[in-house]
Amino acid sequence: MTALLRSPARTDRERTTRAAWLIGLGLLLLVLPKLIYPVLALDILAWGLFAVAFDLLFGFSGLLSFGHAAFWGSSAYVTAYLLSHGQAVPVAMLGGTLTALALAVPIAYLSVRSAGIYFSMITLAFAQMLSFLALQWTDVTGGENGLQGIARPSLLGLDFSNSTTRYYFCLVVFALGFYVAYRTVRSPFGQAQQAVRDSEQRAQSVGYNPQRFKFTAFLISATLAGLAGSMYTFGHGVVSLEVVNWRTSGEVVMMTLLGGTTTLFGPVIGAGLVLLLRDILTTANLPVGIVTGLVFVLVVLFFRRGVVGTVQHWLRRK
């Protein structure tokens, strides 16, 4: 209903603002490997898409998942396994993404029947089970040693041993994933999804099925998280238990809140800020956890909409 009541002038301004954010983000990502290390730039792409996937579920559906590392990590392991067995990079990444989607079906079916903290705890429980499986299934996952020295065969003349080449290949994959998220949010499904988030009873009264929308949003979010996990494996050439650890789920929550929920651009910016701050602190031999925690607290207190959300709110007021 809110969208129907907006004036044409306001709608045009919002479209202009979104176009400006898109162009700015695109230009920044194009030159990013020339500004920082290409491997760090690729990390920003992978974590940025992961945060966008999480925002689809949390920001636009109102569902706080503490178990998204399950989809990121399962895809990372499957991608590594397929690459180690000689599969082409696109095939391995597709296999990892589809694994995340398949894993999400039973988890979504059981978890969306709950709400609030119960939903969060169910997703966390499933993620912990997968983490235990990755630790014990040493023949496939390598256990505590992980999978190392993963081959990345060339594709159409592209030499993936070059970190810059890997970055621009992943930039194309990131653009595809971001486009899916953007179109999902701007589609009639996305509008109905937000209506369910705002009031399930009102959405149900006009004929929407809240459970169906939550289930579908969960699957899309998990699929994009899996695509991000496959990018991470491709970029680093190693996989460890860290990808399925509960801290990974916590980090993507922090990145999304830092950048700003319900913005799509915000989670990417948040991921970049967290990773850049971590890199600077590590280089300076400073306590990463303490400083990052203080920055997060300050953002929550003074920029409750996140960095991008606050900027957008300020521009609307102007």
Side-chain angles (χ1 to χ4, degrees):
M1 291 297 293
T2 304
L4 296 177
L5 298 176
R6 291 174 180 168
S7 65
R10 180 178 177 182
T11 302
D12 291 339
R13 286 197 300 271
E14 291 179 348
R15 288 175 179 173
T16 303
T17 302
R18 286 199 300 268
W21 278 106
L22 276 172
I23 294 172
L25 181 62
L27 292 175
L28 176 61
L29 293 178
L30 281 174
V31 301
L32 192 59
K34 301 183 183 301
L35 303 176
I36 59 177
Y37 298 115
V39 175
L40 178 59
L42 199 155
D43 271 355
I44 293 175
L45 287 183
W47 281 96
L49 183 58
F50 189 21
V52 168
F54 176 79
D55 192 32
L56 280 179
L57 190 63
F58 175 60
F60 293 96
S61 299
L63 299 172
L64 175 58
S65 168
F66 285 150
H68 252 47
F71 313 116
W72 162 276
S74 62
S75 176
Y77 272 115
V78 171
T79 301
Y81 181 83
L82 292 176
L83 287 174
S84 300
H85 285 74
Q87 295 297 326
V89 172
V91 174
M93 296 179 75
L94 178 62
T97 303
L98 293 178
T99 299
L101 173 60
L103 180 65
V105 172
I107 296 177
Y109 181 78
L110 294 173
S111 60
V112 297
R113 298 171 179 269
S114 304
I117 191 63
Y118 301 103
F119 172 87
S120 303
M121 290 297 101
I122 290 174
T123 56
L124 176 61
F126 276 109
Q128 289 299 97
M129 285 190 287
L130 184 66
S131 178
F132 178 79
L133 178 64
L135 175 63
Q136 298 297 322
W137 200 3
T138 56
D139 292 339
V140 176
T141 65
E144 294 182 348
N145 296 323
L147 300 175
Q148 303 178 15
I150 300 169
R152 287 165 292 202
S154 301
L155 177 69
L156 300 177
L158 296 176
D159 181 14
F160 290 135
S161 62
N162 184 286
S163 57
T164 303
T165 303
R166 293 199 303 271
Y167 173 84
Y168 283 110
F169 178 81
C170 284
L171 181 59
V172 175
V173 178
F174 171 87
L176 176 62
F178 190 88
Y179 177 78
V180 171
Y182 185 85
R183 292 304 305 163
T184 298
V185 170
R186 300 300 169 191
S187 68
F189 168 83
Q191 301 301 314
Q193 174 188 357
Q194 294 172 63
V196 171
R197 175 201 62 192
D198 295 337
S199 175
E200 286 192 30
Q201 293 180 342
R202 290 182 181 179
Q204 198 166 11
S205 68
V206 296
Y208 293 130
N209 186 335
Q211 301 299 327
R212 184 178 301 170
F213 278 95
K214 289 180 181 180
F215 180 78
T216 305
F218 195 111
L219 295 187
I220 297 173
S221 175
T223 302
L224 291 179
L227 181 61
S230 67
M231 290 168 55
Y232 182 82
T233 295
F234 171 70
H236 284 267
V238 296
V239 180
S240 67
L241 288 173
E242 189 68 25
V243 297
V244 289
N245 192 280
W246 63 270
R247 287 191 297 270
T248 300
S249 296
E251 287 182 2
V252 75
V253 174
M254 181 175 65
M255 291 172 178
T256 305
L257 293 177
L258 182 62
T261 60
T262 67
T263 60
L264 283 185
F265 309 101
V268 182
I269 301 300
L273 291 175
V274 170
L275 294 175
L276 287 172
L277 179 61
R278 181 188 300 170
D279 181 69
I280 293 172
L281 294 174
T282 302
T283 303
N285 199 25
L286 294 173
V288 177
I290 295 176
V291 178
T292 305
L294 288 174
V295 171
F296 181 68
V297 169
L298 291 175
V299 169
V300 171
L301 289 176
F302 299 104
F303 302 93
R304 297 195 174 185
R305 294 180 175 87
V307 175
V308 174
T310 301
V311 172
Q312 288 182 341
H313 179 69
W314 181 79
L315 291 175
R316 290 193 195 102
R317 294 184 62 182
K318 290 295 181 180

